Amino acid sequence: MFIHRHSFTVRHSPVVPARAHGRRLAAFVLAPILALAAAGCSAGGSNSPAKADVGADDTTPVTITFWHGLSSAHEVAAVNAVLAKFHQKYPYITVQAVSGQTDDKVNQAIRGGTAPDVASSFNAANVGGWCASGAFQDLSADIAADHVDMSQIPQAVQSYTAFDGKRCTMPWLADTFGLYYNKKLFAAAGITAPPKTMTELAQDAKKLTVFNPDGSIKTAGFMPYLGTYQMVTEHLVTSWGGKWLKPDGTSNVASDPAFAAALTWQKNLVDWFGAGKLAKFKAGMGDEMSAQNAFETGNVAMMVDGEWRTAFIKNDKSDVDYGTAPMPVADDKPELYGSGYVGGNVIGIPKGSKHPAAAWKLVKFLTTDTDAVASFADAIGNVPTTIAALDSPALTLAQDPDFATFLEVFKNPATSTTPASPDGGAYLTDFGPFAEKWQNGQVPDLKAGLAGVDKQNDAALKLSQ
Amino acid sequence: MTALAPTARDRSARGVSAHNVARRRSGRRRTLIWIAEHALACGLAVAFVGPIVFILLTSVMTDQQSLTSNLWPAHWQWSNYTAVFSKAPTGTWIKNTVVYAGLVTMCTLVSSVPVAYALARFRFRARNGVFLAVIMMMMLPPQVLVIPMYIMWARLHLTGTIWPLVIPCAFGDAFSIFLLRQFLLTIPEDYLNAARIDGCSEVRVLLRVVLPMMRPAIVAVGLFAFFNAWNDYYGPLIYTGEKPDHWTLAVGLASFKSAHAVQWNLTMAATVIAMAPVIIVFFFAQKAFIEGVTLTGVKG
Amino acid sequence: MGTLSLVTRAARRPPGPDPQTSPAVRAKRRRTRIRILLFLSPWIVGFTVFLAYPLVMTVWLSFTNSDMISSPHFVGLRNYRYMFSDDPQIWQAVRNTGWLMAVMVPAQVLFALGVAMVTARLKAGAGLFRTLFYLPALAPPVAATVAFVCLFNPSSGPVNKILGLIGVHGPLWFDSPVWSKPALTLLTLWGSGTMMVIFLAALLDVPAELYEAAELDGTNPLQRFRYVTLPTISPVVLFATVTAVIAALQYFTQAMVASQTADGSIQAPPGYPGGSTLTFSQQLYTAGFTQFHMGYACALAVVLFAVAMVFTVALLRRASGFNTEEATQ
């Protein structure tokens, strides 16, 4: 279950589908003939042309398309600002950005032969699939030719942007997750400090919860119901140090006790509220990415969320008095405190890119130019992914204590992410339905249930071979 | 003619009187049944229309109120209807949908009429087979063919546009052929023979004699084609999914709430915008609609 | 008479006048043949390119590992094995689709028939009521579904609010694995106006003399329905039922939109809540267009095709059955 941090919108530019009549008409006449000839091979033709001129620059004016998933007004403005800088540096390259695109759409466009020149994703878990299948082009040759210093990218970040020795993406900022808490509600409940262990989290959650006279939830101390905003298994199980895959790439959720422990903790808290009440409360929560976000309106006292929420709270002009802290950790794993889940945003050049040389220029600029990385991270409140940008004075956010929490989490050596798999992280998508059944009490035997998930994940992995 | 005020003469004749009592009783029963039936119909009408009323009410609520269970808008926020266009490219979606539905309607009619005419009016050995195949096509779930079709259109670089949904309509739409054929069978052969005797070619018979007579059926089939396209979600989702510029209203509306950080009020305003054209056209062309629907089920 | 009796009625029409073999006649017949082909040509192309070819390709691709990136190769029955023994969601999808066919469709047919019978008996305002009952059927499925999720929202929706006023504690509807399919069924009932109009026309076609005769025989209304109404309208009901079953088989839009809207996330797990609205078609869509296991999706399509054909053939066979009845009358 991927609850993307950015919901998506659509570029506000009217394009009439009928604008290419002539060409379409020719295609339409040829359709049956070609179709019969083309006996169901893969779409998109043969491999994309190699990125030529890595040495000498061809400065013929060129327009490239760039899909990204950011959609909030302040985020789109920040993208446009950094693209303007790029255009200044490379006046012959014009970038046409499309906001709010999801991974599914990128995948579909690559198959349909309508892929953009550059695409980004919030989910590093995609990298495995993209590198293994060749859906994204290998960037190693360009990196070598342009002498890009990869050591300026933290080791952990380098590893999640490549798969099986193939570097088909570059890191474009990262999201780290921690705990947001409402200071006013904390004070009212007599809680002085954010919880550090999951037991404390559960206790505080109960203290902070207020019920309506009819028994329904008025204020939830914490929403343990999976699938609510950023409350998803991958953000939760990190507190137990859970490892999704074995070293050989097979599924690990039954063998790693972290999963059973995390889900048991979660179910206990769900049952304290009552799953039905939580479902009802969830149905009444405002949209996550709007000013009606239940944390911003004070209806939820604590929540798991990414560092970008600090920027959202500012932009929504919410008056919530809040603080941030690393996610609490399992009682028996105190050494994990200070770490958390990191979700890497990645950027690369899909197969079928029409201007791969210009596309590489953009990828290189966005991911390695210190000023571009730092100023963009600052504008959208994300974590920069080069060491130089992390230390850059342009990163004014570092002075904000609420944001600094996330920078600390990012730098913590125990911070982890969900591993890449050749099927693009299908193990995560397939876990969503299981987690949902679990919290609704439809899984009688957790151990057996998790073993079943392992079996299914391994079988699904074979299907994509 | 129920005996509400029996006369003295009625009472004097015993046999008639007994008969009248029975009639009076059955009259009262009839009145009760009349009331019960109409009450039931009114109840059903409330159930059918109620949701539309609540959609309209929710669509003019404020953000905060649409998250509460209040039924009546405290403040009628009509600006929601403009916000629908500024928060999401709803205007583009509407334009795309109109273009898409218009092209589909045109292609469907032009290609389906001759086929239906041939099936209804010509005699040839394969006719029954062809008609059976048409029925099969009508019944075939689109999902069965979608993968090879998608691959085919991808090879032609037409994915990301509405053309994969329009072009097949230019080669006869099974449902429309079926409907038109049903109607054509109701036209007496004599009319056509008269025209043929006058020396009209078969094409001219179709154009000059049959088409004018077919007007109601063509309107019905055209409306169905238009609104099927207007309402279609599966097709545009698959073929325009990755190109938001080419989305239709159905695709945009499906993810409207989750994708644009909006609450129920704007979502319902967008819903009203999607429903309104269909309902408005229905009130203008109600007869054609009902006749068309009836044609699919019974008449021949 | 039932629509489909037409299929065969047309077939029983005697062939044209006896063939004569003068050259002029032969030339005329050739012209006729060309004319028929000309009229049928759009359909012939459509049938070949948009039905026959993709159908063959679906079957072929179901034996490959096509993913539209690398060139596909033959994998034998692997996709079918995965479907029957490994796919974690497929049986739930089959069960849900089965539920729709076994519960939702009969509910819809009975409801539409009931409403049509009430409407047929109305003496005042029948036309107005018919319009009101038909109106929701026009609502675009996506719009209707989004609206229903909003109206049935357990926290802010009017349905539970009204239920609460009469002292009923409303369920979670689209947020409950138990109530999501009943909620979708209510959505279907709301939009069953098309079926209602068809039934209404059939009911009004029942000759009034039959009722009068039956009434004189002293039958009660139930008997009249059983022995007069039902036999006359049954071809129409059967046709509508089979069409509805096939629609249930490909049920997609409402299920997908309802889970997305109720979960509030565009990446909602398919079939939210708890996989309870995951249908076979949705599973096919996920396999094909989000995971790009095109080969596997084709295997699912082959199964879907087989089931749909069983129902279609059953319908057509019944239709010719009616025809013989008609012939003996």
Side-chain angles (χ1 to χ4, degrees), chain A residues 19-324:
Chain A
R19 85 179 152 184
H21 269 193
R23 205 157 42 95
R24 304 293 190 230
L25 197 68
F28 145 65
V29 174
L30 288 172
I33 304 150
L34 289 178
L36 287 167
C41 307
S42 64
S46 57
N47 278 326
S48 325
K51 290 174 287 299
D53 54 7
V54 265
D57 274 0
D58 173 10
T59 53
T60 327
V62 62
T63 301
I64 59 174
T65 47
F66 168 38
W67 287 6
H68 62 85
L70 298 160
S71 65
S72 274
H74 71 277
E75 295 175 324
V76 174
V79 174
N80 291 339
V82 76
L83 290 179
K85 282 183 192 168
F86 175 74
H87 190 58
Q88 224 165 37
K89 194 166 173 190
Y90 300 97
Y92 64 96
I93 305 177
T94 310
V95 183
Q96 217 173 48
V98 182
S99 64
Q101 291 291 53
T102 60
D103 303 338
D104 286 353
K105 297 192 190 331
V106 173
N107 281 326
Q108 202 170 340
I110 293 170
R111 264 81 179 181
T114 54
D117 296 295
V118 177
S120 77
S121 159
F122 296 126
N123 299 300
N126 282 317
V127 171
W130 286 347
C131 289
S133 67
F136 272 62
Q137 305 181 16
D138 195 340
L139 304 171
S140 313
D142 306 278
I143 290 170
D146 283 4
H147 308 292
V148 176
D149 174 18
M150 290 304 283
S151 70
Q152 64 175 315
I153 294 166
Q155 197 56 47
V157 177
Q158 278 192 48
S159 73
Y160 73 64
T161 45
F163 182 74
D164 228 8
K166 267 196 224 163
R167 167 156 301 282
C168 67
T169 64
M170 292 286 279
W172 190 39
L173 311 187
D175 290 322
T176 45
F177 291 79
L179 185 77
Y180 282 76
Y181 60 96
N182 186 318
K183 285 181 178 165
K184 208 174 107 198
L185 295 176
F186 262 46
I191 304 169
T192 49
K196 286 196 161 152
T197 66
M198 294 313 271
T199 307
E200 286 171 23
L201 175 61
Q203 281 166 352
D204 290 349
K206 291 173 190 171
K207 260 188 247 169
L208 290 159
T209 301
V210 182
F211 290 96
N212 285 318
D214 67 352
S216 61
I217 302 166
K218 183 164 185 272
T219 310
F222 181 80
M223 264 301 272
Y225 204 68
L226 291 169
T228 312
Y229 294 177
Q230 297 297 321
M231 180 61 186
V232 291
T233 314
E234 57 264 38
H235 297 163
L236 180 68
V237 81
T238 317
S239 294
W240 278 264
K243 296 268 172 292
W244 288 86
L245 300 180
K246 295 193 178 94
D248 65 356
T250 55
S251 183
N252 193 35
V253 298
S255 324
D256 188 340
F259 286 86
L263 288 175
T264 308
W265 175 89
Q266 183 261 351
K267 184 77 166 40
N268 284 339
L269 194 52
V270 166
D271 291 345
W272 181 81
F273 284 96
K277 282 181 193 169
L278 287 173
K280 183 177 171 183
F281 185 73
K282 178 187 173 222
M285 285 163 74
D287 185 84
E288 181 186 0
M289 298 301 166
S290 74
Q292 301 300 319
N293 178 298
F295 181 77
E296 295 187 23
T297 56
N299 290 73
V300 166
M302 296 184 284
M303 72 166 176
V304 192
D305 212 347
E307 78 293 320
W308 68 82
R309 179 62 50 195
T310 56
F312 271 77
I313 290 173
K314 227 172 285 161
N315 282 291
D316 291 338
K317 300 189 174 59
S318 162
D319 54 4
V320 61
D321 179 15
Y322 75 102
T324 62

Side-chain angles (χ1 to χ4, degrees), chain B residues 1-15:
Chain B
M1 259 246 301
T2 45
L4 287 172
T7 60
R9 199 165 58 87
D10 281 337
R11 267 181 226 128
S12 64
R14 245 171 47 202

Side-chain angles (χ1 to χ4, degrees), chain B residues 38 41 282-283 286 290, chain C residues 118-135 196-197 200 204:
Chain B
H38 285 78
F282 171 70
F283 277 112
Q286 192 181 346
I290 301 274
Chain C
V118 170
T119 316
R121 292 183 59 92
L122 293 179
K123 283 164 198 79
L128 174 71
F129 281 115
R130 186 185 63 176
T131 303
L132 292 180
F133 298 163
Y134 178 64
L135 204 57
M196 191 269 297
V197 168
L200 182 59
L204 296 176

Side-chain angles (χ1 to χ4, degrees), chain B residues 27 103 214 260 265 267:
Chain B
L103 285 171
M214 278 176 82
H260 300 284
N265 51 350
T267 313

